[in-house]
Amino acid sequence: MSGAVRIDARGMRCPWPAVRLARALRDGARKIEVLADDPQAPTEIATVAASADATVEIILDEFYRTFVVTCR
């Protein structure tokens, strides 16, 4: 994913993955990949993305989720 900001939030409990996403969006990132394994991450990341008018794609693998947040 060329040009994307990557946030490795595995092992972090919410709200930290969402806080780090919000910081990246405030800093001007247009595409952010968030690796997260907290059960609350999908809800909190979706809320932050919606407030920034961004879309969220969730990619699942065996171990954790990758959330790709893209600004419109």
Side-chain angles (χ1 to χ4, degrees):
M1 202 178 316
S2 178
V5 172
R6 185 176 187 142
I7 298 170
D8 187 348
R10 292 174 290 181
M12 292 183 184
R13 295 293 158 229
C14 283
W16 292 110
V19 168
R20 293 186 66 196
L21 170 61
R23 184 177 303 140
L25 288 166
R26 267 195 319 273
D27 289 345
R30 303 294 297 163
K31 188 166 194 173
I32 303 107
E33 180 181 276
V34 182
L35 308 175
D37 53 8
D38 186 282
Q40 295 301 315
T43 302
E44 297 208 5
I45 287 173
T47 300
V48 171
S51 71
D53 194 30
T55 62
V56 179
E57 175 188 1
I58 301 173
I59 302 168
L60 303 173
D61 79 7
E62 310 175 23
F63 303 108
Y64 57 91
R65 296 180 181 119
T66 301
F67 302 87
V68 180
V69 179
T70 306
C71 292
R72 298 177 194 191

